[in-house]
Amino acid sequence: MRLPRGTAMLRTACPLAAAALLTVVTAGATPAGAAPQPLDLTCTAPSSNVVSYSPALTNTPSPHVLQTNTQYGPCVSPGHPGVTSGSTSGTVPPGGDISCLTLLVPTSVTFPITWNTGQTSTVSANIQSSIEGVTFVVVLSGTVTSGLFAGDTYLQTNVGAASDILLCNAGLGSVQGVYSTVTLEITAA
């Protein structure tokens, strides 16, 4: 989920789509011989992300309004058993020209997550996107900078269909939005 700079919710160098979002990145890899760090939180399907564009993206850059909504859950947190779901959402007015071609450009983002307990986490992450066959993969890897899980490593992987993006990149269609399933892991530092 890439959003233009200067927004209250997210900050990025170049808007991305899909909740996008990396060539599966292995963030926080454990050095040889070191014990793996415990997971503070995991969220799996039906966790999801929806990013929509108005107007629909084409392969010609132009200003767009971007709306994003991510729902996390079911989630399991051994240290915080009351945390079972969360969400983040926002609308970003036009802030720069984007196209379906920019969906694969790496960027960074900062955004809040509100958990079902009312607690919040602020995440700062790098975003990498790729098309693998007919699948659009977006990976957000970074750190929880404040709030619940502060200091922990953040790894979110969004997986969605790439067919509209492939057609758009070829000049044969447009992208109104991207729906992705989401897997989230927050690991103790």
Short mmCIF file of all heavy atoms in Angstrom, two decimals, residues 92-144:
data_model
loop_
_atom_site.label_atom_id
_atom_site.label_comp_id
_atom_site.label_asym_id
_atom_site.label_seq_id
_atom_site.Cartn_x
_atom_site.Cartn_y
_atom_site.Cartn_z
N VAL A 92 -5.79 9.14 0.37
CA VAL A 92 -4.73 10.08 0.02
C VAL A 92 -5.14 10.81 -1.25
O VAL A 92 -5.37 10.19 -2.29
CB VAL A 92 -3.40 9.34 -0.20
CG1 VAL A 92 -2.31 10.34 -0.57
CG2 VAL A 92 -3.02 8.56 1.04
N PRO A 93 -5.26 12.14 -1.18
CA PRO A 93 -5.59 12.91 -2.38
C PRO A 93 -4.41 12.92 -3.35
O PRO A 93 -3.31 12.53 -2.97
CB PRO A 93 -5.88 14.30 -1.84
CG PRO A 93 -5.13 14.38 -0.55
CD PRO A 93 -5.09 12.98 -0.02
N PRO A 94 -4.63 13.37 -4.57
CA PRO A 94 -3.54 13.40 -5.55
C PRO A 94 -2.33 14.14 -4.99
O PRO A 94 -2.45 15.21 -4.43
CB PRO A 94 -4.12 14.15 -6.74
CG PRO A 94 -5.60 13.99 -6.60
CD PRO A 94 -5.87 13.92 -5.12
N GLY A 95 -1.17 13.50 -5.11
CA GLY A 95 0.04 14.13 -4.60
C GLY A 95 1.21 13.95 -5.54
O GLY A 95 2.31 14.37 -5.27
N GLY A 96 0.98 13.33 -6.64
CA GLY A 96 2.04 13.07 -7.61
C GLY A 96 1.49 12.17 -8.69
O GLY A 96 0.52 11.46 -8.47
N ASP A 97 2.11 12.22 -9.83
CA ASP A 97 1.63 11.40 -10.94
C ASP A 97 2.07 9.95 -10.74
O ASP A 97 3.24 9.67 -10.47
CB ASP A 97 2.18 11.92 -12.26
CG ASP A 97 1.59 13.27 -12.64
OD1 ASP A 97 0.59 13.67 -12.00
OD2 ASP A 97 2.12 13.92 -13.55
N ILE A 98 1.12 9.04 -10.87
CA ILE A 98 1.43 7.61 -10.78
C ILE A 98 0.74 6.89 -11.93
O ILE A 98 -0.17 7.41 -12.56
CB ILE A 98 0.99 7.00 -9.43
CG1 ILE A 98 -0.53 7.11 -9.23
CG2 ILE A 98 1.76 7.63 -8.28
CD1 ILE A 98 -1.04 6.35 -8.02
N SER A 99 1.22 5.68 -12.18
CA SER A 99 0.65 4.83 -13.21
C SER A 99 0.77 3.39 -12.73
O SER A 99 1.38 3.12 -11.69
CB SER A 99 1.40 5.00 -14.54
OG SER A 99 2.67 4.39 -14.46
N CYS A 100 0.22 2.46 -13.49
CA CYS A 100 0.36 1.06 -13.10
C CYS A 100 1.82 0.62 -13.15
O CYS A 100 2.21 -0.33 -12.47
CB CYS A 100 -0.53 0.16 -13.95
SG CYS A 100 -0.34 0.37 -15.72
N LEU A 101 2.65 1.32 -13.91
CA LEU A 101 4.07 0.99 -13.98
C LEU A 101 4.78 1.30 -12.67
O LEU A 101 5.78 0.67 -12.34
CB LEU A 101 4.73 1.75 -15.13
CG LEU A 101 4.16 1.47 -16.52
CD1 LEU A 101 4.71 2.46 -17.55
CD2 LEU A 101 4.46 0.05 -16.95
N THR A 102 4.28 2.27 -11.89
CA THR A 102 4.94 2.64 -10.64
C THR A 102 4.61 1.68 -9.50
O THR A 102 5.20 1.78 -8.42
CB THR A 102 4.57 4.08 -10.21
OG1 THR A 102 3.17 4.16 -9.98
CG2 THR A 102 4.99 5.10 -11.24
N LEU A 103 3.72 0.74 -9.72
CA LEU A 103 3.36 -0.21 -8.67
C LEU A 103 4.53 -1.11 -8.30
O LEU A 103 4.53 -1.73 -7.24
CB LEU A 103 2.17 -1.06 -9.09
CG LEU A 103 0.88 -0.30 -9.34
CD1 LEU A 103 -0.24 -1.26 -9.73
CD2 LEU A 103 0.48 0.54 -8.15
N LEU A 104 5.54 -1.21 -9.16
CA LEU A 104 6.68 -2.08 -8.90
C LEU A 104 7.91 -1.31 -8.43
O LEU A 104 8.98 -1.88 -8.30
CB LEU A 104 7.01 -2.88 -10.17
CG LEU A 104 5.88 -3.79 -10.65
CD1 LEU A 104 6.24 -4.45 -11.97
CD2 LEU A 104 5.54 -4.85 -9.61
N VAL A 105 7.75 -0.02 -8.15
CA VAL A 105 8.87 0.81 -7.70
C VAL A 105 8.98 0.71 -6.18
O VAL A 105 8.01 0.97 -5.46
CB VAL A 105 8.65 2.28 -8.13
CG1 VAL A 105 9.75 3.17 -7.57
CG2 VAL A 105 8.58 2.39 -9.64
N PRO A 106 10.17 0.35 -5.66
CA PRO A 106 10.34 0.29 -4.20
C PRO A 106 10.10 1.66 -3.56
O PRO A 106 10.38 2.69 -4.15
CB PRO A 106 11.81 -0.12 -4.02
CG PRO A 106 12.21 -0.72 -5.32
CD PRO A 106 11.40 -0.01 -6.37
N THR A 107 9.59 1.64 -2.35
CA THR A 107 9.31 2.88 -1.63
C THR A 107 9.32 2.60 -0.14
O THR A 107 9.64 1.50 0.31
CB THR A 107 7.98 3.49 -2.10
OG1 THR A 107 7.86 4.81 -1.57
CG2 THR A 107 6.79 2.65 -1.70
N SER A 108 8.95 3.59 0.66
CA SER A 108 8.84 3.42 2.11
C SER A 108 7.53 4.03 2.58
O SER A 108 6.92 4.84 1.88
CB SER A 108 10.03 4.06 2.82
OG SER A 108 10.06 5.44 2.56
N VAL A 109 7.11 3.62 3.78
CA VAL A 109 5.82 4.05 4.29
C VAL A 109 5.84 4.06 5.81
O VAL A 109 6.58 3.29 6.43
CB VAL A 109 4.70 3.11 3.74
CG1 VAL A 109 4.86 1.71 4.27
CG2 VAL A 109 3.32 3.64 4.04
N THR A 110 5.08 4.95 6.40
CA THR A 110 4.85 4.97 7.84
C THR A 110 3.35 5.02 8.06
O THR A 110 2.66 5.81 7.42
CB THR A 110 5.53 6.19 8.49
OG1 THR A 110 6.94 6.10 8.28
CG2 THR A 110 5.24 6.25 9.98
N PHE A 111 2.82 4.14 8.91
CA PHE A 111 1.38 4.09 9.11
C PHE A 111 1.03 3.53 10.48
O PHE A 111 1.80 2.79 11.08
CB PHE A 111 0.71 3.23 8.01
CG PHE A 111 1.18 1.81 7.97
CD1 PHE A 111 0.48 0.80 8.61
CD2 PHE A 111 2.33 1.47 7.27
CE1 PHE A 111 0.90 -0.51 8.55
CE2 PHE A 111 2.77 0.15 7.21
CZ PHE A 111 2.06 -0.84 7.86
N PRO A 112 -0.16 3.87 10.99
CA PRO A 112 -0.62 3.34 12.26
C PRO A 112 -1.50 2.10 12.07
O PRO A 112 -2.19 1.98 11.06
CB PRO A 112 -1.46 4.49 12.83
CG PRO A 112 -2.07 5.10 11.60
CD PRO A 112 -1.03 4.97 10.52
N ILE A 113 -1.46 1.22 13.03
CA ILE A 113 -2.40 0.09 13.10
C ILE A 113 -3.16 0.24 14.41
O ILE A 113 -2.57 0.48 15.46
CB ILE A 113 -1.68 -1.27 13.08
CG1 ILE A 113 -0.91 -1.46 11.78
CG2 ILE A 113 -2.69 -2.42 13.27
CD1 ILE A 113 -0.04 -2.72 11.76
N THR A 114 -4.48 0.12 14.35
CA THR A 114 -5.30 0.12 15.56
C THR A 114 -5.74 -1.31 15.81
O THR A 114 -6.35 -1.96 14.94
CB THR A 114 -6.53 1.04 15.40
OG1 THR A 114 -6.07 2.37 15.12
CG2 THR A 114 -7.37 1.03 16.67
N TRP A 115 -5.43 -1.83 16.99
CA TRP A 115 -5.78 -3.20 17.36
C TRP A 115 -7.16 -3.24 18.01
O TRP A 115 -7.66 -2.22 18.49
CB TRP A 115 -4.71 -3.78 18.30
CG TRP A 115 -3.34 -3.73 17.69
CD1 TRP A 115 -2.33 -2.87 18.01
CD2 TRP A 115 -2.85 -4.52 16.61
NE1 TRP A 115 -1.24 -3.08 17.22
CE2 TRP A 115 -1.52 -4.10 16.35
CE3 TRP A 115 -3.39 -5.56 15.84
CZ2 TRP A 115 -0.74 -4.67 15.34
CZ3 TRP A 115 -2.60 -6.13 14.85
CH2 TRP A 115 -1.30 -5.68 14.60
N ASN A 116 -7.76 -4.40 18.05
CA ASN A 116 -9.11 -4.55 18.62
C ASN A 116 -9.18 -4.13 20.08
O ASN A 116 -10.25 -3.82 20.60
CB ASN A 116 -9.62 -5.98 18.45
CG ASN A 116 -8.80 -6.99 19.22
OD1 ASN A 116 -7.63 -7.21 18.92
ND2 ASN A 116 -9.40 -7.60 20.23
N THR A 117 -8.04 -4.08 20.77
CA THR A 117 -8.00 -3.68 22.18
C THR A 117 -8.02 -2.16 22.35
O THR A 117 -8.08 -1.67 23.47
CB THR A 117 -6.71 -4.22 22.83
OG1 THR A 117 -5.59 -3.70 22.09
CG2 THR A 117 -6.69 -5.75 22.83
N GLY A 118 -7.90 -1.42 21.23
CA GLY A 118 -7.81 0.02 21.29
C GLY A 118 -6.37 0.51 21.29
O GLY A 118 -6.10 1.70 21.11
N GLN A 119 -5.42 -0.39 21.50
CA GLN A 119 -4.00 -0.03 21.45
C GLN A 119 -3.59 0.21 20.00
O GLN A 119 -4.24 -0.28 19.07
CB GLN A 119 -3.16 -1.15 22.07
CG GLN A 119 -3.44 -1.35 23.56
CD GLN A 119 -2.87 -2.66 24.05
OE1 GLN A 119 -3.35 -3.74 23.68
NE2 GLN A 119 -1.84 -2.57 24.89
N THR A 120 -2.51 0.96 19.82
CA THR A 120 -2.03 1.24 18.47
C THR A 120 -0.55 0.89 18.34
O THR A 120 0.18 0.81 19.34
CB THR A 120 -2.22 2.72 18.10
OG1 THR A 120 -1.48 3.53 19.00
CG2 THR A 120 -3.70 3.11 18.12
N SER A 121 -0.13 0.71 17.11
CA SER A 121 1.28 0.52 16.75
C SER A 121 1.56 1.42 15.55
O SER A 121 0.72 1.52 14.65
CB SER A 121 1.56 -0.93 16.33
OG SER A 121 1.31 -1.83 17.38
N THR A 122 2.71 2.07 15.55
CA THR A 122 3.14 2.82 14.38
C THR A 122 4.26 2.04 13.71
O THR A 122 5.21 1.62 14.38
CB THR A 122 3.63 4.23 14.75
OG1 THR A 122 2.56 4.92 15.39
CG2 THR A 122 4.07 5.00 13.52
N VAL A 123 4.12 1.83 12.40
CA VAL A 123 5.05 1.01 11.64
C VAL A 123 5.78 1.88 10.63
O VAL A 123 5.17 2.71 9.96
CB VAL A 123 4.29 -0.13 10.90
CG1 VAL A 123 5.24 -0.91 10.01
CG2 VAL A 123 3.59 -1.03 11.90
N SER A 124 7.07 1.67 10.50
CA SER A 124 7.88 2.28 9.45
C SER A 124 8.47 1.13 8.65
O SER A 124 9.18 0.28 9.20
CB SER A 124 8.98 3.14 10.06
OG SER A 124 9.74 3.75 9.03
N ALA A 125 8.15 1.07 7.33
CA ALA A 125 8.53 -0.10 6.54
C ALA A 125 8.99 0.29 5.14
O ALA A 125 8.57 1.30 4.59
CB ALA A 125 7.35 -1.07 6.45
N ASN A 126 9.85 -0.55 4.58
CA ASN A 126 10.21 -0.48 3.18
C ASN A 126 9.27 -1.39 2.41
O ASN A 126 8.88 -2.45 2.92
CB ASN A 126 11.65 -0.91 2.96
CG ASN A 126 12.62 0.06 3.59
OD1 ASN A 126 12.47 1.27 3.44
ND2 ASN A 126 13.59 -0.46 4.32
N ILE A 127 8.90 -0.99 1.20
CA ILE A 127 7.97 -1.76 0.39
C ILE A 127 8.67 -2.21 -0.88
O ILE A 127 9.28 -1.41 -1.58
CB ILE A 127 6.72 -0.93 0.02
CG1 ILE A 127 5.99 -0.49 1.29
CG2 ILE A 127 5.79 -1.73 -0.89
CD1 ILE A 127 4.85 0.48 1.02
N GLN A 128 8.58 -3.50 -1.16
CA GLN A 128 9.08 -4.08 -2.40
C GLN A 128 7.93 -4.83 -3.04
O GLN A 128 7.20 -5.54 -2.36
CB GLN A 128 10.23 -5.06 -2.13
CG GLN A 128 11.48 -4.42 -1.59
CD GLN A 128 12.28 -3.74 -2.70
OE1 GLN A 128 12.03 -3.94 -3.87
NE2 GLN A 128 13.23 -2.93 -2.32
N SER A 129 7.76 -4.68 -4.35
CA SER A 129 6.67 -5.34 -5.07
C SER A 129 7.24 -6.13 -6.23
O SER A 129 8.26 -5.74 -6.81
CB SER A 129 5.69 -4.31 -5.63
OG SER A 129 5.27 -3.44 -4.64
N SER A 130 6.56 -7.20 -6.58
CA SER A 130 6.98 -7.97 -7.74
C SER A 130 5.77 -8.67 -8.34
O SER A 130 4.75 -8.86 -7.68
CB SER A 130 8.06 -8.99 -7.36
OG SER A 130 7.52 -9.96 -6.48
N ILE A 131 5.95 -9.04 -9.60
CA ILE A 131 4.96 -9.90 -10.25
C ILE A 131 5.64 -11.24 -10.46
O ILE A 131 6.69 -11.32 -11.10
CB ILE A 131 4.47 -9.28 -11.57
CG1 ILE A 131 3.69 -7.99 -11.27
CG2 ILE A 131 3.61 -10.28 -12.33
CD1 ILE A 131 3.20 -7.26 -12.49
N GLU A 132 5.04 -12.26 -9.89
CA GLU A 132 5.56 -13.62 -10.00
C GLU A 132 4.52 -14.45 -10.73
O GLU A 132 3.53 -14.86 -10.14
CB GLU A 132 5.86 -14.18 -8.61
CG GLU A 132 6.90 -13.34 -7.86
CD GLU A 132 7.10 -13.76 -6.42
OE1 GLU A 132 6.60 -14.84 -6.03
OE2 GLU A 132 7.75 -13.00 -5.69
N GLY A 133 4.74 -14.64 -12.04
CA GLY A 133 3.73 -15.30 -12.86
C GLY A 133 2.52 -14.41 -12.99
O GLY A 133 2.61 -13.33 -13.56
N VAL A 134 1.39 -14.83 -12.44
CA VAL A 134 0.17 -14.03 -12.48
C VAL A 134 -0.20 -13.52 -11.07
O VAL A 134 -1.34 -13.18 -10.80
CB VAL A 134 -1.01 -14.81 -13.09
CG1 VAL A 134 -0.76 -15.11 -14.55
CG2 VAL A 134 -1.28 -16.09 -12.30
N THR A 135 0.81 -13.49 -10.18
CA THR A 135 0.60 -13.08 -8.79
C THR A 135 1.37 -11.79 -8.51
O THR A 135 2.53 -11.66 -8.87
CB THR A 135 1.07 -14.19 -7.83
OG1 THR A 135 0.38 -15.40 -8.15
CG2 THR A 135 0.80 -13.82 -6.39
N PHE A 136 0.68 -10.85 -7.85
CA PHE A 136 1.29 -9.60 -7.41
C PHE A 136 1.65 -9.76 -5.94
O PHE A 136 0.77 -10.01 -5.11
CB PHE A 136 0.31 -8.45 -7.63
CG PHE A 136 0.85 -7.09 -7.26
CD1 PHE A 136 2.03 -6.62 -7.80
CD2 PHE A 136 0.13 -6.26 -6.41
CE1 PHE A 136 2.51 -5.35 -7.49
CE2 PHE A 136 0.60 -5.00 -6.09
CZ PHE A 136 1.79 -4.54 -6.63
N VAL A 137 2.94 -9.65 -5.62
CA VAL A 137 3.42 -9.85 -4.26
C VAL A 137 3.99 -8.53 -3.75
O VAL A 137 4.84 -7.93 -4.39
CB VAL A 137 4.50 -10.95 -4.20
CG1 VAL A 137 5.02 -11.12 -2.77
CG2 VAL A 137 3.97 -12.26 -4.74
N VAL A 138 3.52 -8.11 -2.59
CA VAL A 138 4.00 -6.88 -1.97
C VAL A 138 4.48 -7.23 -0.56
O VAL A 138 3.73 -7.83 0.20
CB VAL A 138 2.89 -5.81 -1.90
CG1 VAL A 138 3.42 -4.54 -1.27
CG2 VAL A 138 2.35 -5.53 -3.29
N VAL A 139 5.71 -6.84 -0.25
CA VAL A 139 6.27 -7.12 1.07
C VAL A 139 6.65 -5.81 1.74
O VAL A 139 7.36 -4.99 1.16
CB VAL A 139 7.50 -8.05 0.96
CG1 VAL A 139 8.10 -8.30 2.34
CG2 VAL A 139 7.12 -9.36 0.30
N LEU A 140 6.14 -5.64 2.95
CA LEU A 140 6.50 -4.49 3.79
C LEU A 140 7.38 -5.03 4.91
O LEU A 140 6.94 -5.89 5.67
CB LEU A 140 5.26 -3.85 4.40
CG LEU A 140 4.28 -3.19 3.44
CD1 LEU A 140 3.25 -4.19 2.94
CD2 LEU A 140 3.60 -2.03 4.12
N SER A 141 8.61 -4.56 4.98
CA SER A 141 9.51 -5.01 6.03
C SER A 141 10.10 -3.81 6.75
O SER A 141 10.53 -2.86 6.12
CB SER A 141 10.63 -5.89 5.46
OG SER A 141 11.39 -5.17 4.51
N GLY A 142 10.05 -3.85 8.07
CA GLY A 142 10.56 -2.72 8.83
C GLY A 142 10.47 -2.94 10.32
O GLY A 142 10.68 -4.06 10.79
N THR A 143 10.08 -1.88 11.02
CA THR A 143 10.08 -1.88 12.48
C THR A 143 8.82 -1.22 13.02
O THR A 143 8.31 -0.28 12.42
CB THR A 143 11.30 -1.09 13.00
OG1 THR A 143 12.48 -1.65 12.42
CG2 THR A 143 11.42 -1.14 14.50
N VAL A 144 8.35 -1.72 14.14
CA VAL A 144 7.29 -1.03 14.88
C VAL A 144 8.01 0.07 15.68
O VAL A 144 8.83 -0.22 16.55
CB VAL A 144 6.52 -1.98 15.82
CG1 VAL A 144 5.47 -1.21 16.60
CG2 VAL A 144 5.89 -3.12 15.03
#
